[in-house]
Amino acid sequence: MSRPSSTYRVQLTPDFGFAQVAEIAGYLRDLGVSHVYLSPILQATPESRHGYDVIDHSRIREEFGGATGFREMAQQLAAHDLGVVVDIVPNHMNPVNAQFWSVLKDGPGSPYAHWFDIEWDGGKVALPVLGDDTEPVVDGDVLRYHEHVFPHPGHYRLVDWREGPGYRRFFDVSSLIGLRVEDPSVLFATHEVIFWLLDEGLVDGLRVDHPDGLADPRGYLERLRARVGETWTVVEKILIGPERLPGDWACDGTTGYDVLNRVNGLFVDPAGKEPLVRLFTELTGGPEDYRPVMAQAKREVLDLFFGAEVKRLARAADADPAAVRELLAAMPVYRAYVVPGEEPPPESVEIVELAAEACSPAVGPLVRKVLYGSDEAIVRFQQTCGPVMAKGVEDTALYRWYPLACLNEVGGEPDVFGVGVEEFHDFCAELLPYTMTTLSTHDTKRSEDVRARLSVLSELPEEWASAVAAWSSEVSFDPHLDYLAWQNLMAAWPISAERFTDYLLKAAREAKTAISWLNPDPAYERRLREFAQAAVRLPIGEFTERIEPFAMSNSLGAKLVQLMMPGVPDVYQGNETTDFSLVDPDNRRPVTYPRKPETSWDAAKLLVTTQAVSYTHL
């Protein structure tokens, strides 16, 4: 198959595997897409609902149907002129795997010690699993602690679960250990099945997860391109504001968050900014400006989650940990690309130096070390910037500052209201021709149709303020959460009390103002549930119905722009009709096929999608 003209993203689960994908081949062909775009297919933990926690790179996931099931699916799709794109995860895997077990057993002498990015301390690696006074128990040749099992004896030490591990991880997730794919042998071992599928023509394209976690993203992509040739490859790179994909990356573009936020901005009225910010500050007591909220959130997550990473970077750069935290908190992007042994690009130097200008003088010497210092100092700094941005912005600040929640998206800037048409055209003119475009993904904070409804609020802020005042007079809970709750309840309507409660619990935990994942409060969570149950009984749907014609216009307009603009458009599962989902796991719920229109909006969206996607396929 040739390069995709359009893709359809499917979230594989143990309940929806290769056989189920094969069953919808005819439906997807009639929709007009050229390729089915699958979430990770390699063997992950058996119960995983997402597949990013791979445990065995040598096998296609058994719960989906294994290698035989994949081949049969690919053949069925090919019979309907459909190709396959797969999502690959080069940065990390679940530490419960055979290779890491060997490392725990034999330490630096293990033949797999070079697989993982480990900081050895006296020949041992720290494992953060201890959570109570229970003593680990020796059971034959293993050591057991609750559900955890380790070799006995071994080259590890168990530490409190709140501590950082002795290895690089994915963000703050200790159950995902960093891989060293900069080592050619590790790259081959972790990609051999993917290479085999490409060689056999069973796969036509790749989506690379989280390239910013890698020691050398450019080098990885160059080695990948050398092996897979001109295979269509896009990367999950989050770009902020004017930032652009590095020009020396051997790939076809991004997975589309840059596009998503600009298309979204076309449907937001800039005139709504002042009244909506004023409403937000009145209801929440929050500040008018977003930037200090973001900076504070990044400082907090550095203290909460990234102590181990800060210490490791401070040692590598021979710097004060306080200076390291300060510079990391000030960085405005996920990564400023510097390759050890090469002159730093001028734009990277400018990013780091501007960030340092907002810091104390103590940060000055650190700037030179992360730009021109040792290989480890340069690489560690870059690998730590991304997690701090993700946890500080995506998973904290966006839940604290939300005058118009449709702007609070991955890679988005919630204080930027609206994108002008001329600005949008200038952006499109710079796009790589085969970059991916999207409006919804498995990681978006809200589905595209929820955002379409929220965008309308920028056009009638006074009417919206009156509605919120009426609802708040009936039910109230926490001023730091209520206004976010009203926006999402209205925009996801109709929604069950259970789904709404789950969303609010996640939002409150991410905001970390009253509760967090680390510090629950049963009394607060009980009151939250009571608030959610009372709120869904209010006549919220009357307002949603009032704005429906405008929201439908936003939805169809955004879909048409996304599908017809430069690039390879992706349709996230189920979004060929309306989808009013919130953040994961809500947006990863099972989808029923074929999609059958239940409303005029459904019918219109399905028609627009089918016609536009079919046109791109010509």
Side-chain angles (χ1 to χ4, degrees):
M1 294 280 297
S2 59
R3 180 187 285 115
S5 60
S6 55
T7 60
Y8 188 96
R9 167 77 176 204
V10 174
Q11 290 296 114
L12 297 167
T13 68
D15 313 308
F16 196 93
F18 303 139
Q20 288 72 35
V21 173
E23 288 173 2
I24 63 171
Y27 170 78
L28 296 178
R29 175 202 58 206
D30 294 344
L31 192 63
V33 298
S34 70
H35 285 68
V36 181
Y37 159 32
L38 301 175
S39 59
I41 62 168
L42 298 183
Q43 185 62 53
T45 51
E47 67 277 6
S48 176
R49 308 292 294 180
H50 52 77
Y52 291 94
D53 48 353
V54 174
I55 60 173
D56 187 349
H57 292 88
S58 69
R59 289 190 293 141
I60 295 178
R61 193 165 170 188
E62 292 298 330
E63 293 79 21
F64 298 165
T68 300
F70 186 93
R71 184 183 297 277
E72 291 172 351
M73 173 202 68
Q75 291 171 344
Q76 179 70 5
L77 293 173
H80 290 81
D81 294 323
L82 293 167
V84 176
V85 173
V86 296
D87 194 339
I88 62 174
V89 194
N91 178 66
H92 54 264
M93 66 186 298
N94 190 297
V96 182
N97 65 73
Q99 291 79 18
F100 193 56
W101 181 274
S102 168
V103 173
L104 294 179
K105 182 173 180 291
D106 298 323
S110 164
Y112 299 104
H114 67 295
W115 270 47
F116 305 103
D117 194 351
I118 293 173
E119 183 175 35
W120 294 105
D121 182 4
K124 296 191 175 186
V125 57
L127 302 179
V129 297
L130 298 177
D132 55 28
D133 295 329
T134 304
E135 289 291 328
V137 176
V138 176
D139 181 10
D141 59 355
V142 300
L143 185 73
R144 298 185 184 277
Y145 176 76
H146 292 293
E147 73 275 17
H148 302 284
V149 182
F150 310 100
H152 177 71
H155 291 255
Y156 61 88
R157 57 187 180 89
L158 304 185
V159 300
D160 187 274
W161 67 276
R162 293 176 180 84
E163 292 187 30
Y167 49 80
R168 182 174 61 81
R169 52 187 169 167
F170 172 72
F171 296 164
D172 64 331
V173 184
S174 296
S175 59
L176 294 172
I177 184 171
L179 288 164
R180 296 185 63 254
V181 290
E182 63 269 26
D183 184 314
S185 67
V186 178
L187 188 151
F188 179 79
T190 55
H191 290 61
E192 61 174 328
V193 169
I194 302 300
F195 294 157
W196 158 64
L197 293 172
L198 286 163
D199 290 345
E200 289 213 9
L202 299 174
V203 165
D204 306 297
L206 302 174
R207 181 262 196 194
V208 178
D209 184 66
H210 189 47
D212 279 347
L214 305 178
D216 180 13
R218 185 190 71 185
Y220 166 78
L221 290 170
E222 287 174 350
R223 288 187 289 275
L224 190 65
R225 176 60 55 90
R227 176 59 179 80
V228 304
E230 295 301 309
T231 297
W232 183 72
T233 304
V234 291
V235 294
E236 188 211 23
K237 169 60 192 162
I238 312 302
L239 300 166
I240 307 295
E243 186 185 13
R244 297 292 181 267
L245 191 70
D248 56 2
W249 281 19
C251 65
D252 292 281
T254 75
T255 53
Y257 286 109
D258 48 344
V259 167
L260 180 159
N261 284 297
R262 284 171 174 81
V263 173
N264 190 55
L266 286 172
F267 298 88
V268 172
D269 187 349
K273 180 173 183 177
E274 184 180 341
L276 287 175
V277 171
R278 185 170 61 248
L279 177 63
F280 167 77
T281 60
E282 290 171 355
L283 294 175
T284 67
E288 292 183 357
D289 297 329
Y290 165 66
R291 302 294 154 163
V293 175
M294 178 176 68
Q296 176 63 24
K298 290 170 74 176
R299 287 192 293 267
E300 288 181 19
V301 300
L302 275 160
D303 289 338
L304 278 172
F305 305 125
F306 297 116
E309 286 79 2
V310 166
K311 289 177 184 176
R312 193 173 184 183
L313 176 54
R315 283 193 295 271
D318 190 22
D320 183 347
V324 170
R325 285 194 296 271
E326 209 176 343
L327 183 57
L328 286 168
M331 284 292 290
V333 293
Y334 281 70
R335 186 163 174 157
Y337 299 94
V338 180
V339 177
E342 297 182 11
E343 187 71 16
E347 55 269 28
S348 297
V349 174
E350 182 181 17
I351 288 169
V352 178
E353 289 183 343
L354 283 175
E357 286 181 11
C359 302
S360 69
V363 171
L366 178 61
V367 171
R368 185 154 193 86
K369 291 173 179 175
V370 301
L371 290 173
Y372 306 98
S374 68
D375 292 4
E376 185 175 8
I378 291 171
V379 171
R380 291 273 172 237
F381 176 71
Q382 295 181 72
Q383 288 180 306
T384 310
C385 286
V388 174
M389 280 291 286
K391 296 305 296 182
V393 178
E394 290 180 36
D395 294 345
T396 306
L398 295 187
Y399 289 93
R400 294 183 178 180
W401 202 90
Y402 41 82
L404 185 61
C406 64
L407 302 175
N408 292 39
E409 197 45 83
V410 177
E413 298 177 285
D415 56 346
V416 178
F417 276 64
V419 172
V421 172
E422 188 173 335
E423 177 188 348
F424 182 77
H425 282 299
D426 289 343
F427 167 74
C428 289
E430 296 178 355
L431 283 175
L432 292 172
Y434 299 106
T435 192
M436 179 180 276
T437 73
T438 191
L439 289 181
S440 299
T441 78
H442 60 289
D443 278 334
T444 41
K445 302 298 183 185
R446 290 158 196 84
S447 67
E448 58 204 59
D449 297 318
V450 168
R451 295 199 306 273
R453 283 174 169 171
L454 288 168
S455 296
V456 179
L457 304 184
S458 66
E459 302 176 60
L460 36 80
E462 290 78 15
E463 189 174 333
W464 168 243
S466 297
V468 171
W471 301 332
S472 299
S473 68
E474 296 284 333
V475 181
S476 63
F477 169 53
D478 178 352
H480 294 296
L481 187 68
D482 288 9
Y483 183 51
L484 184 65
W486 294 128
Q487 290 186 67
N488 286 279
L489 180 57
M490 183 283 296
W493 190 270
I495 184 171
S496 68
E498 180 182 15
R499 280 179 58 211
F500 188 47
T501 299
D502 288 346
Y503 171 75
L504 291 183
L505 282 170
K506 179 165 184 171
R509 288 165 178 159
E510 299 284 34
K512 307 169 189 67
T513 51
I515 60 172
S516 70
W517 299 103
L518 294 178
N519 297 299
D521 179 344
Y524 179 94
E525 294 172 14
R526 184 187 69 251
R527 296 195 305 275
L528 182 149
R529 289 186 172 89
E530 292 168 354
F531 168 80
Q533 290 166 356
V536 298
R537 291 197 290 267
L538 295 177
I540 310 296
E542 292 176 6
F543 187 93
T544 307
E545 186 176 349
R546 153 88 176 83
I547 69 166
E548 206 74 336
F550 314 110
M552 178 175 168
S553 176
N554 286 346
S555 166
L556 300 179
K559 200 69 190 166
L560 187 59
V561 170
Q562 179 243 331
L563 295 174
M564 298 300 292
M565 68 186 289
V568 176
D570 176 57
V571 177
Y572 181 65
Q573 60 178 27
N575 279 255
E576 62 271 34
T577 56
T578 58
D579 175 30
F580 300 104
S581 297
L582 299 173
V583 73
D584 72 278
D586 196 58
N587 61 2
R588 302 179 189 181
R589 288 171 295 147
V591 174
T592 302
Y593 294 101
R595 305 298 292 163
K596 294 181 179 178
E598 296 181 5
T599 65
S600 59
W601 187 348
D602 277 338
K605 192 176 183 190
L606 184 59
L607 180 61
V608 165
T609 301
T610 304
Q611 293 294 310
V613 166
S614 297
Y615 181 83
T616 67
H617 205 166
L618 294 177

